[in-house]
């Protein structure tokens, strides 16, 4: 009987997991749009591209959320293209924003170096990513709200400008 | 069972208290507004729960509203591993078995705290529901920590600790009134305010119900006892099981200083030994707690907390048995003081806690007066003499070492010392009016000094290892023990019977727990546990050719339970939450001579199912279900084990379903309305008989279908 119960639980669990909506990532998607709005790239970087590119590097925890949100939006007056890649070598066109997943910790130095050269805003949601050079890093507060750190030195070295409003509300490190 | 499985499959899983947001809803929000949205409730902070070296369940005020819980006891009764047995017991009706172990009497296997304050009753070292009357509407959250917790909470935390928090949310004010069938009515006020730097909270509430109305013959086939009690054979329990509760708590906080006061009063009609008559036998409990504490952060690493308390508790049980207004009475008064201090040191590598606790029972007096029962019965008084006290002192320590970013090791211990104390037992003395004229040969005066074995010292260790497979999955290996001291009344019995003093009862637990957040809205918790309880105080039968069979209390009980629990929470859809849990456990009696008899009150299977659906912003519908497999009663004997019998009938498996409809902001006002039903299938809910009322061999009955309405005004 216990075997049966466990079997049913497993099946149910898997089915339900597929249906589950990523509440946390819905919020993160919305934040990404705001970050784009409050960040300035070099003029050439924006002008030279027909699209505004966002790359998700590593495990995709957003599901279809980024496509759903950004398919309806324009950023810097350009339609948005989302790229999903597992490592840096797969990136064909240097994007404007890279979201770095948790599983990329071992490649972080290379990614930060790449973004520095290519004027790319980096965003992550992993403990210590901010200290390690990721420009904007999400963290969960004690009140269970989503806040973020900004590594100002790293932002400046990538030749990006972040609006003062964003700096005022972020934890600047 | 098939039906249970079908329900689980069709409806699937329970609450996961996420904010219900959709990408289209939040596109137009400002970044500041986005930063205010909670992604998980404080109660269910995954990181917090992942890091706690114990199996933890948290129920929030939102859960309570959504599922229409009517009391904290109902919450416990829907907690994985817990099952209620209501035996109309004279100290408190509702007791719980936990992870296959049940101890008759009132609830004493888990520490119950309200706002961190222990609600201990010193006489039996228990936590009777009649003494803890906090209304459910006053509760901000309940934390249920399973597993032996004596290192942190001391004597009695056999299966964990429950902390009921009523002073957390400082911005919520509400007034609730409600009622239902079985004469149920209640009201609660929940108020907070701030004056300068002082934050204050007030909760007050009352509740009342008429109890069940069933024929005594539905409880017992023993018609002789019904007639002996001067009842007609068709007599019922109408007006015999009424109950009511009152509660007030006040708290304040100013910087590092805080204070708490609570007042609990209840009346509960009971059945004790035989059927009641007249207006029913009634016990009244009055308990007041006063606490003053501080919580001071000395620097970024060190925090010191202290909490001092003064507690009074009295009860009076007026019997209506055999003769109306018989005057039979049993009363108790106790006063106690305690002080707990802890120092917490935290840095990146270590969390180190040192603590000390002292409890002094300053007064403990029990008076029993049964004038119409004859001279040889239990008239008398039991007390600790005025210059005596029961003093318990403890030192405890716990260190968590972050060995690597994946591994945490935690170890701790508690040394508890119970000082010797004196018990005085007087029977038939002139202190009671009704026995003033007793002849000397009917008087007894026994005074004994309790000398706890092992010079009163007891050591409880605890150890756990947390291994984070990844940021969302943690394996916890936990080894722990807990103790329970013989109670004041246990020791009195040994003194009267001139037997050796009893040792502490012990539990040793081994548990592996895997907590995993597989996806943001899907969490699972899996445990395997092995509990070994030994030195349990039980009735022991001994044969000697000179005196035949004699029965006395001894540390002879041994039980072993092996079990598994799985609990899964899934947000199936942004508007549909689910949770289900199953516990499967096997308990074996290891007491010499009783190995072949399955222990009583230990069901093999417990299952819970919770579902809630948010129809729209103001309308939420929910249901919860519970399944308990068959429960047997205790195997008892006056002589040899094989000559024994079950105390009463086994209670068959039972499935109950509850439903609740919550309407928020009724007609765009500040009123919230809840309509609900308990035991919607109108099942006959029975609990197995216990030593409290062996004549109820068919089992104790609980409410049938209950309907209720609740109106809350938020201000």
């Amino acid at each position: 009987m216990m075997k049966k119960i466990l079997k049913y639980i497993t099946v149910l669990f898997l089915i339900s997991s597929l249906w589950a909506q990523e509440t946390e990532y819905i919020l993160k998607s919305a934040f990404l749009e705001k970050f784009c709005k409050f960040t300035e790239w070099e003029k050439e970087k924006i002008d030279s591209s027909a699209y505004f590119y966002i790359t998700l590097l590593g495990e995709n925890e957003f599901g279809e959320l980024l496509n759903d949100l950004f398919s309806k939006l324009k950023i810097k007056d350009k339609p948005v293209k989302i790229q999903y890649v597992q490592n840096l070598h797969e990136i064909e066109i240097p994007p404007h924003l890279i979201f770095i997943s948790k599983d990329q910790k071992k490649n972080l130095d290379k990614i930060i170096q790449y973004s520095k050269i290519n004027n790319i805003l980096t965003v992550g949601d992993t403990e210590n990513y901010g200290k390690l050079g990721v420009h904007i890093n999400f963290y969960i507060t004690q009140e269970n709200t989503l806040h973020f750190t900004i590594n100002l030195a790293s932002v400046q070295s990538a030749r990006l400008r972040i609006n003062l409003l964003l700096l005022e509300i972020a934890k600047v490190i | 069972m098939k039906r249970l499985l079908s329900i689980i499959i069709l409806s699937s899983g329970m609450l996961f208290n996420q904010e219900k947001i959709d990408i289209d809803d939040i596109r137009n929000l400002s970044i500041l507004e986005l930063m205010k949205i909670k992604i998980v409730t404080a109660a269910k902070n995954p990181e917090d729960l992942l890091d706690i070296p114990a199996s933890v369940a948290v129920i929030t005020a939102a859960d309570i509203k959504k599922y229409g819980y009517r009391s904290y006891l109902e919450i416990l009764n829907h907690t994985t591993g817990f099952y209620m047995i209501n035996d109309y017991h004279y100290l408190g009706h509702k007791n719980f078995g936990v992870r296959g172990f049940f101890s008759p009497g009132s609830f004493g296997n888990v520490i119950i705290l309200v706002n961190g304050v222990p609600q201990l009753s010193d006489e039996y070292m228990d936590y009777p529901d009649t003494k803890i009357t906090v209304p459910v509407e006053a509760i901000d959250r309940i934390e249920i920590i399973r597993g032996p917790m004596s290192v942190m909470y001391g004597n009695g935390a056999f299966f964990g600790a429950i902390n009921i928090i009523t002073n957390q949310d400082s911005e919520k004010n509400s007034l609730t009134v409600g009622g239902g069938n079985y004469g149920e009515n209640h009201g609660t006020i929940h108020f907070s305010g701030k004056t300068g730097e002082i934050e204050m909270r007030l909760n007050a509430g009352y509740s009342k119900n008429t109890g069940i109305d069933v024929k005594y013959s539905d409880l017992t086939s023993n018609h002789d006892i019904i007639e002996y009690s001067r009842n007609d054979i068709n007599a019922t329990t109408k007006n015999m099981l009424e109950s009511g509760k009152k509660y007030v708590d006040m708290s304040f906080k100013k910087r590092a200083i805080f204070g708490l006061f609570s007042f609990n009063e209840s009346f509960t009609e009971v059945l004790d030994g035989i059927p009641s008559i007249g207006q029913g036998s009634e016990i009244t409990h009055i308990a007041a707690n006063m606490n003053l504490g501080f919580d001071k952060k000395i620097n970024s690493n060190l925090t010191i907390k202290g909490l001092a308390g003064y507690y009074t508790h009295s009860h009076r049980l007026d019997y209506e048995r055999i003769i109306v207004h018989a005057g039979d009475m049993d009363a108790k008064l106790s006063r106690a003081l305690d002080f707990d201090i802890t120092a917490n040191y935290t840095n990146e590598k270590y969390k180190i806690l040192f603590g000390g606790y002292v409890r002094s029972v300053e007064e403990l007096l029990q008076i029993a007066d049964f004038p119409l029962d004859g001279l040889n019965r239990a008239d008398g008084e039991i007390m600790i003499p005025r210059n005596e006290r029961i003093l318990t002192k403890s030192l405890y320590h716990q260190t968590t070492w972050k060995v690597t970013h994946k591994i945490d090791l935690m170890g701790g211990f508690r040394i508890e010392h119970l000082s010797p104390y004196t018990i005085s037992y007087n029977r038939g003395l002139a202190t009671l009016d009704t026995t003033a004229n007793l002849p000397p040969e009917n008087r007894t005066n026994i005074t004994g000094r309790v000398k706890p074995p092992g010079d009163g010292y007891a050591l409880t260790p605890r150890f756990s290892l947390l291994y984070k497979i990844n940021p969302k999955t943690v394996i916890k290996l936990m080894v722990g023990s807990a103790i329970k001291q013989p109670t004041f009344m246990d020791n009195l019995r040994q003194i009267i019977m001139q037997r050796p003093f009893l040792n502490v009862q012990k539990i040793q637990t081994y548990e592996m727990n895997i907590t995993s957040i597989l996806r943001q809205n899907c969490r699972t918790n899996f445990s395997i546990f092995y509990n070994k309880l030994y030195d349990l105080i039980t009735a022991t039968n001994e044969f000697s050719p000179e005196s035949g069979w004699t029965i006395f209390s001894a540390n002879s009980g041994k039980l072993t339970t092996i079990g598994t629990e799985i609990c899964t929470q899934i947000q199936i859809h942004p508007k549909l939450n689910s949770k289900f849990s199953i516990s499967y456990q096997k308990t074996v009696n290891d007491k010499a001579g009783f190995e072949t008899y399955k222990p009583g009150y230990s069901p093999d299977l417990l299952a819970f199912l919770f579902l809630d659906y948010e129809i729209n912003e103001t309308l939420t519908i929910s249901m919860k279900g519970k399944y308990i497999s068959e429960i047997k009663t205790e195997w008892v004997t006056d002589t040899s084990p094989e000559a024994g019998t079950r105390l009463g009938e086994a209670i068959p498996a039972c499935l109950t379903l509850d439903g609740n409809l919550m309407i928020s902001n009724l007609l765009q006002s500040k009123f919230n309305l809840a309509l609900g039903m308990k035991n919607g299938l109108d099942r006959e809910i029975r609990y197995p008989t216990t030593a409290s009322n062996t004549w109820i061999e068919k089992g104790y009955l609980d409410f049938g279908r209950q309907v209720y309405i609740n109106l809350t005004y938020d201000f």
Side-chain angles (χ1 to χ4, degrees):
Chain A
M1 180 52 72
M2 274 309 285
K3 276 184 185 172
K4 267 189 177 178
I5 292 168
L6 289 173
K7 197 169 98 183
Y8 287 130
I9 289 169
T10 310
V11 171
L12 179 66
F13 183 77
L14 290 172
I15 292 168
S16 303
S17 299
L18 294 172
W19 292 343
Q21 288 291 309
E22 302 292 354
T23 310
E24 180 184 334
Y25 283 87
I26 292 174
L27 264 182
K28 285 178 182 169
S29 305
F31 270 112
L32 288 185
E33 189 220 340
K34 307 293 179 195
F35 295 157
C36 294
K37 198 183 270 182
F38 290 111
T39 303
E40 284 181 34
W41 282 260
E42 287 182 331
K43 192 169 182 303
E44 190 190 347
K45 173 88 177 174
I46 299 294
D47 291 347
S48 63
S49 174
Y51 294 97
F52 188 91
Y53 287 99
I54 295 175
T55 295
L56 202 151
L57 183 53
E59 189 189 352
N60 175 18
E61 298 202 64
F62 285 87
E64 288 299 308
L65 286 170
L66 294 178
N67 286 338
D68 290 349
L69 175 65
F70 289 104
S71 63
K72 302 166 190 168
L73 296 175
K74 278 188 172 181
I75 296 176
K76 310 291 179 194
D77 282 332
K78 292 178 191 296
V80 180
K81 270 205 172 178
I82 312 287
Q83 308 174 103
Y84 299 93
V85 296
Q86 291 304 312
N87 58 60
L88 267 184
H89 307 301
E90 292 177 32
I91 299 177
E92 292 172 0
I93 301 168
H96 298 87
L97 186 151
I98 296 179
F99 187 90
I100 310 166
S101 295
K102 293 177 178 69
D103 58 357
Q104 295 296 312
K105 202 165 189 173
K106 57 182 183 295
N107 303 320
L108 207 56
D109 286 346
K110 286 180 189 168
I111 299 165
I112 288 163
Q113 193 58 28
Y114 178 81
S115 66
K116 192 174 169 180
I117 294 166
N118 292 291
N119 187 220
I120 299 167
L121 178 70
T122 54
V123 182
D125 62 352
T126 305
E127 195 180 342
N128 287 328
Y129 265 23
K131 286 180 188 167
L132 295 172
V134 174
H135 303 145
I136 300 178
N137 192 38
F138 289 112
Y139 67 95
I140 297 170
T141 66
Q142 285 191 341
E143 289 76 37
N144 301 303
T145 52
L146 200 59
H147 285 201
F148 50 91
T149 62
I150 293 179
N151 185 327
L152 201 52
S154 188
V155 167
Q156 285 164 349
S157 71
R159 303 177 315 283
L160 294 160
R161 277 187 182 182
I162 288 186
N163 190 296
L164 196 61
L165 173 65
L166 213 54
L167 290 172
E168 275 182 4
I169 57 179
K171 190 171 160 185
V172 177
I173 54 174
Chain B
M1 176 46 90
K2 276 184 181 172
R3 190 165 175 168
L4 171 73
L5 288 175
S6 306
I7 289 165
I8 291 173
I9 294 156
L10 287 171
S11 46
S12 89
M14 155 169 152
L15 74 179
F16 194 84
N17 242 1
Q18 297 281 342
E19 296 285 336
K20 309 294 189 303
I21 58 169
D22 185 86
I23 192 79
D24 291 326
D25 296 335
I26 62 167
R27 274 174 64 180
N28 297 321
L29 296 181
S30 73
I31 199 158
L32 285 170
E33 287 168 328
L34 287 175
M35 291 172 81
K36 289 177 186 167
I37 295 177
K38 290 190 177 185
I39 57 168
V40 285
T41 66
K44 291 187 166 62
N45 186 331
E47 278 66 40
D48 285 353
L49 297 189
L50 286 176
D51 287 344
I52 294 172
S55 179
V56 183
V58 179
I59 292 90
T60 64
D63 299 333
I64 291 168
K65 274 186 185 171
K66 195 159 46 177
Y67 287 98
Y69 285 113
R70 311 291 283 157
S71 68
Y72 73 90
L73 299 160
E74 190 191 351
I75 294 171
L76 294 188
N77 199 27
H78 287 83
T79 298
T80 307
F82 282 65
Y83 52 97
M84 183 192 284
I85 292 179
N86 176 354
D87 66 356
Y88 315 153
H89 187 265
Y90 73 96
L91 282 178
H93 277 191
K94 297 174 180 79
N95 191 350
F96 288 87
V98 189
R99 286 187 163 175
F101 176 71
F102 174 82
S103 177
S106 63
F107 192 29
N109 298 320
V110 173
I111 300 273
I112 300 184
L113 308 118
V114 176
N115 298 319
V117 175
Q119 304 296 306
L120 179 69
S121 174
D122 290 288
E123 186 183 20
Y124 289 98
M125 288 182 184
D126 56 4
Y127 298 83
D129 65 289
T130 40
K131 180 178 181 277
I132 308 164
T133 59
V134 55
V136 75
E137 291 87 0
I139 298 172
D140 290 322
R141 59 190 248 150
I142 297 184
E143 298 168 345
I144 300 167
I145 305 173
R146 283 178 297 241
M149 295 299 292
S150 275
V151 168
M152 295 303 294
Y153 298 104
N155 172 35
F158 250 35
F159 288 95
I162 296 163
N163 192 10
I164 300 169
I165 297 160
T166 67
N167 62 352
Q168 187 184 60
D169 187 348
S170 59
E171 292 178 0
K172 188 174 69 177
N173 297 321
S174 64
L175 177 68
T176 303
V177 290
N181 57 345
Y182 294 103
E184 201 250 317
N185 62 81
H186 68 272
T188 308
I189 186 161
H190 195 64
F191 180 75
S192 61
K194 196 170 182 182
T195 308
E197 288 184 319
I198 304 174
E199 293 171 41
M200 290 173 292
R201 290 296 304 272
L202 169 75
N203 291 292
Y206 85 95
S207 64
K208 215 172 171 184
N209 72 66
T210 56
I212 58 166
D213 178 11
V214 295
K215 283 185 175 181
Y216 283 124
S217 56
D218 289 334
L219 302 174
T220 181
S221 307
N222 182 355
H223 292 179
D224 290 346
I225 199 160
I226 300 174
E227 286 170 357
Y228 171 76
S229 67
R230 309 289 198 271
N231 272 296
D232 182 84
I233 199 69
N234 291 315
T236 74
T237 59
K238 188 176 182 181
N239 300 327
M240 301 294 165
L241 290 168
E242 295 169 301
S243 66
K245 292 179 177 179
K246 291 175 191 166
Y247 178 82
V248 178
D249 80 27
M250 285 180 278
S251 59
F252 76 88
K253 189 179 176 189
K254 184 183 178 185
R255 295 185 184 173
I257 306 292
F258 62 92
L260 306 159
F261 167 79
S262 69
F263 174 81
N264 302 258
E265 183 179 332
S266 72
F267 80 86
T268 311
E269 290 185 332
V270 301
L271 297 180
D272 189 15
I274 57 172
S276 300
I277 56 170
Q279 293 301 306
S281 300
E282 179 182 300
I283 187 162
T284 310
H285 282 262
I286 296 176
N289 305 329
M290 280 164 276
N291 296 85
L292 194 62
F294 64 91
D295 186 346
K296 178 76 179 167
K297 192 165 184 147
I298 307 294
N299 57 43
S300 59
N301 299 111
L302 184 64
T303 304
I304 296 182
K305 294 179 187 176
L307 183 64
Y310 174 72
Y311 311 93
T312 65
H313 175 208
S314 65
H315 77 230
R316 182 187 166 103
L317 173 51
D318 288 301
Y319 284 103
E320 296 244 339
R321 298 185 299 193
I322 303 177
I323 296 171
V324 177
H325 306 310
D328 288 1
M329 176 275 290
D330 173 277
K332 177 212 130 172
L333 174 68
S334 72
R335 288 188 300 116
L337 298 162
D338 75 352
F339 182 63
D340 191 17
I341 186 161
T342 57
N344 284 279
Y345 176 82
T346 307
N347 65 21
E348 285 185 359
K349 274 273 181 195
Y350 296 100
K351 280 183 196 170
I352 301 169
L353 179 147
F354 283 100
Y357 180 73
V358 181
R359 186 176 183 95
S360 175
V361 181
E362 299 285 314
E363 183 175 11
L364 194 47
L365 169 68
Q366 183 171 1
I367 298 169
D369 187 8
F370 298 91
L372 298 174
D373 265 2
L375 300 180
N376 294 322
R377 297 297 296 272
D379 295 13
E381 62 182 19
I382 305 158
M383 64 165 81
I384 46 173
R386 288 203 175 135
N387 56 348
E388 289 268 344
R389 64 182 63 167
I390 303 174
L391 188 65
T392 309
K393 292 178 276 188
S394 307
L395 286 173
Y396 55 99
H397 162 69
Q398 188 167 287
T399 293
T400 306
W401 175 29
K402 215 173 187 50
V403 184
T404 69
H405 71 284
K406 281 180 178 282
I407 297 173
D408 286 5
L409 279 176
M410 192 279 290
F413 66 87
R414 186 181 190 105
I415 300 171
E416 188 161 290
H417 180 253
L418 175 65
S419 302
Y421 62 93
T422 303
I423 299 179
S424 172
Y425 171 54
N426 303 314
R427 198 174 78 179
L429 293 184
T431 50
L432 301 170
D433 292 341
T434 52
T435 55
N437 300 319
L438 280 182
E441 61 270 23
N442 288 105
R443 299 177 186 180
T444 309
N445 180 7
I446 299 171
T447 298
R449 184 120 179 112
V450 178
K451 292 177 185 161
D455 288 332
Y457 286 98
L459 174 72
T460 48
R462 186 181 175 208
F463 175 78
S464 68
L465 183 151
L466 270 70
Y467 177 68
K468 292 179 187 170
I469 298 173
N470 58 50
K472 292 184 174 180
T473 305
V474 173
I475 295 183
K476 304 175 185 180
L477 298 173
M478 295 168 281
V479 180
S481 58
I483 58 160
K484 189 168 184 186
Q485 294 277 4
T487 65
F488 173 82
M489 296 304 279
D490 287 330
N491 286 324
L492 170 68
R493 202 177 306 118
Q494 298 305 98
I495 289 171
I496 292 171
M497 294 192 72
Q498 298 181 317
R499 304 281 319 176
F501 286 110
L502 297 161
N503 214 332
V504 294
Q505 304 178 87
K506 302 178 192 84
I507 181 173
Q508 184 73 40
T509 288
Y510 305 87
E511 181 173 353
M512 183 187 76
N513 173 276
I514 302 174
T515 303
S516 184
I517 304 164
L518 296 182
R519 292 167 68 88
Q520 179 57 29
N521 295 356
C522 179
R523 181 185 315 157
T524 184
N525 195 309
F526 173 74
S527 285
I528 297 177
F529 61 88
Y530 175 81
N531 292 344
K532 201 160 182 63
L533 295 102
Y534 54 104
D535 286 347
L536 299 176
I537 298 170
T538 57
T540 300
N541 307 39
E542 194 175 79
F543 180 79
S544 73
E546 296 80 31
S547 51
W549 286 98
T550 53
I551 303 178
F552 53 89
S553 292
N555 291 103
S556 57
K558 285 182 190 169
L559 289 172
T560 304
T561 304
I562 184 160
T564 181
E565 291 170 352
I566 183 164
C567 178
T568 302
Q569 299 181 174
I570 305 167
Q571 189 177 38
I572 298 170
H573 177 271
K575 292 176 182 295
L576 179 62
N577 300 301
S578 69
K579 174 179 165 184
F580 61 82
S581 73
I582 289 183
S583 308
Y584 183 75
Q585 61 220 357
K586 280 280 182 195
T587 303
V588 177
N589 197 342
D590 293 329
K591 183 177 174 179
F594 288 80
E595 295 89 342
T596 54
Y597 306 105
K598 183 177 167 57
Y601 320 114
S602 185
D604 291 341
L605 186 65
L606 300 171
F608 300 93
L609 168 70
F610 297 76
L611 279 173
D612 67 84
Y613 181 69
E614 189 184 300
I615 297 167
N616 58 40
E617 281 183 1
T618 59
L619 213 57
T620 302
I621 191 163
S622 71
M623 65 84 72
K624 60 181 190 293
K626 177 173 185 173
Y627 173 85
I628 305 185
S629 62
E630 183 194 68
I631 308 183
K632 288 188 188 309
T633 57
E634 190 180 355
W635 184 265
V636 288
T637 176
D638 290 334
T639 56
S640 62
E642 56 275 15
T645 181
R646 292 280 172 192
L647 203 57
E649 294 172 14
I651 303 301
C654 184
L655 171 71
T656 54
L657 290 177
D658 307 333
N660 187 66
L661 175 71
M662 188 173 78
I663 307 167
S664 309
N665 307 120
L666 189 66
L667 304 173
Q668 297 185 324
S669 69
K670 290 183 175 179
F671 284 97
N672 304 309
L673 184 71
L675 302 165
M677 195 180 284
K678 306 284 174 199
N679 188 14
L681 302 174
D682 201 21
R683 290 293 167 88
E684 184 182 87
I685 299 175
R686 274 191 192 269
Y687 306 103
T689 194
T690 62
S692 306
N693 283 293
T694 52
W695 59 280
I696 303 180
E697 88 286 349
K698 290 183 179 178
Y700 307 97
L701 277 164
D702 207 338
F703 291 115
R705 183 185 291 124
Q706 289 175 273
V707 290
Y708 62 86
I709 182 168
N710 231 24
L711 189 66
T712 303
Y713 177 68
D714 292 323
F715 58 99

